[in-house]
Amino acid sequence: MDRLEVGRLTEVMSEHPILVTGATGKSGRRVVRQLRDKGLPVRAASRTGACVFDWRDRRTWDTALEGVRSVYLVQLDGTKLVRPFLERAVRHGVRRVVLASGRGIDDPHYVKDSGGVLDGIRDSEAAVRESGLEWTISRPGWFAQNFSEGFFADAVRSGELRLPAGDGAASFVDAEDIAAVLTDGRHAGETYEVSGPRAVTLAEAVATISEATGRAIRYVPLSAEAYVAELVRQGWPPADARAFADVIEPLREGRDAHVSDGVLRALGRPARTFAEFAASTAAQGGWPA
Ligand SMILES: NC(=O)c1ccc[n+]([C@@H]2O[C@H](COP(=O)([O-])OP(=O)(O)OC[C@H]3O[C@@H](n4cnc5c(N)ncnc54)[C@H](OP(=O)(O)O)[C@@H]3O)[C@@H](O)[C@H]2O)c1
């Protein structure tokens, strides 16, 4: 897209609220902040957001879409609701969609998809490409923020991260970079895979967090069976415990260790390192106490 088109798009976007779904989550919250930092009007939507929006309650969709020309979609995992949502968005006059997708969705061996998450994301991507709207897709790998806000935050707080991930590594990506790619506004028709600049093992990750926070945190590798048994002892239903162990398997197998160049391609700068993520989270008081 040339400079004139970017200008036109910014103008169109700034006259109308920009809808962001999943606006209270790890990626959506940062998309909202980064758009507002650019001076753009944002409608932050989720079940507990300023705009009450529930993917499962289609009556909330029209209010969210009223007057909107541009949408940033964080989907509801395990569903195929993006397609009907985009059909409705087109009827409301929406012209542009940006989708937060995921890396690995084209690889049938990436993960056992028991919750239908990858199937849902694949359908969302197809719906976006077939929508007739101007579109951009970002496919991030494992978020660095899983350690500070997500799956691993409780373990980081307790000082011991116990996982069936062996000495596997991943190129964890800072959600600030994910949001920066999503909100850049120049990339019509592009799909960007985004990751951090190098693979980091779980032992390295917790050592880096220890350094940034001054707290002792250790990583304890478990077998998948021992991990499932631990979760069941904590009250998890066995099927859920098994499914969660399956989610960790790509980490153990290093299936997310490769580095993608999406941040560099989209933004012309390198992705933030895990150490930069850990230090900036500490500076903002963002580590779980
Ligand atoms: N985490 C990772 O490492 C990772 C890696 C690659 C891809 N992804 C994908 O990236 C996407 C975003 O992940 P994330 O980590 O940013 O999510 P997240 O932090 O778990 O946030 C989920 C968001 O969805 C909203 N939400 C939940 N149920 C909803 C419903 N029924 N209707 C409307 N909103 C609902 C939540 O807000 P309310 O509770 O207020 O409704 C929240 O804002 C997901 O599709 C995920 O699969 C994640």
Side-chain angles (χ1 to χ4, degrees):
M1 188 187 292
D2 65 24
R3 200 174 283 277
L4 252 182
E5 282 176 288
V6 174
R8 179 190 57 74
L9 190 60
T10 306
E11 203 174 281
V12 167
M13 286 164 66
S14 57
E15 285 168 7
H16 299 271
I18 300 166
L19 177 66
V20 180
T21 67
T24 54
K26 289 185 283 300
S27 42
R29 190 153 45 82
R30 291 173 170 85
V31 167
V32 168
R33 180 174 30 75
Q34 292 190 23
L35 288 172
R36 286 188 175 146
D37 285 351
K38 293 176 201 274
L40 296 167
V42 176
R43 184 174 293 161
S46 77
R47 292 167 306 173
T48 61
C51 170
V52 176
F53 170 80
D54 189 335
W55 279 107
R56 295 191 191 280
D57 181 357
R58 296 184 187 209
R59 290 169 304 179
T60 65
W61 294 7
D62 289 310
T63 317
L65 285 165
E66 192 65 45
V68 164
R69 296 291 172 271
S70 192
V71 297
Y72 286 74
L73 295 184
V74 174
Q75 61 215 295
L76 183 62
D77 284 342
T79 69
K80 293 186 177 175
L81 293 167
V82 164
R83 190 177 293 276
F85 183 78
L86 285 180
E87 284 164 10
R88 196 169 302 185
V90 168
R91 291 205 292 277
H92 275 268
V94 167
R95 291 154 63 167
R96 178 166 181 259
V97 56
V98 179
L99 179 73
S101 175
R103 220 164 60 152
I105 67 163
D106 293 332
D107 176 359
H109 307 297
Y110 176 72
V111 72
K112 202 181 285 175
D113 193 20
S114 39
V117 173
L118 297 198
D119 195 29
I121 296 179
R122 274 192 293 271
D123 190 67
S124 300
E125 282 206 5
V128 163
R129 292 195 174 95
E130 292 159 15
S131 65
L133 302 174
E134 183 182 309
W135 59 264
T136 304
I137 294 172
S138 162
R139 291 177 166 185
W142 277 77
F143 295 7
Q145 274 75 4
N146 288 318
F147 292 88
S148 53
E149 304 166 28
F151 304 132
F152 309 148
D154 286 344
V156 166
R157 184 184 294 115
S158 78
E160 192 168 89
L161 177 60
R162 300 166 68 79
L163 282 178
D167 57 3
S171 53
F172 295 103
V173 57
D174 190 329
E176 294 291 343
D177 278 348
I178 299 169
V181 171
L182 289 170
T183 57
D184 188 64
R186 285 181 300 181
H187 307 293
E190 296 281 355
T191 301
Y192 289 109
E193 281 203 3
V194 296
S195 77
R198 76 173 181 87
V200 174
T201 64
L202 289 166
E204 275 180 90
V206 297
T208 306
I209 298 167
S210 287
E211 198 168 313
T213 58
R215 298 208 316 257
I217 308 160
R218 66 185 195 123
Y219 166 58
V220 180
L222 299 177
S223 69
E225 291 65 33
Y227 183 64
V228 170
E230 274 198 7
L231 293 183
V232 170
R233 275 199 300 279
Q234 289 165 24
W236 285 53
D240 291 358
R242 186 76 250 169
F244 195 63
D246 289 343
V247 168
I248 304 298
E249 193 183 305
L251 277 182
R252 190 182 69 239
E253 298 294 327
R255 286 185 204 132
D256 243 310
H258 59 292
V259 171
S260 301
D261 65 355
V263 174
L264 191 62
R265 268 201 309 131
L267 304 176
R269 61 155 176 86
R272 280 154 58 103
T273 65
F274 195 84
E276 286 170 328
F277 149 74
S280 66
T281 302
Q284 292 157 21
W287 284 108

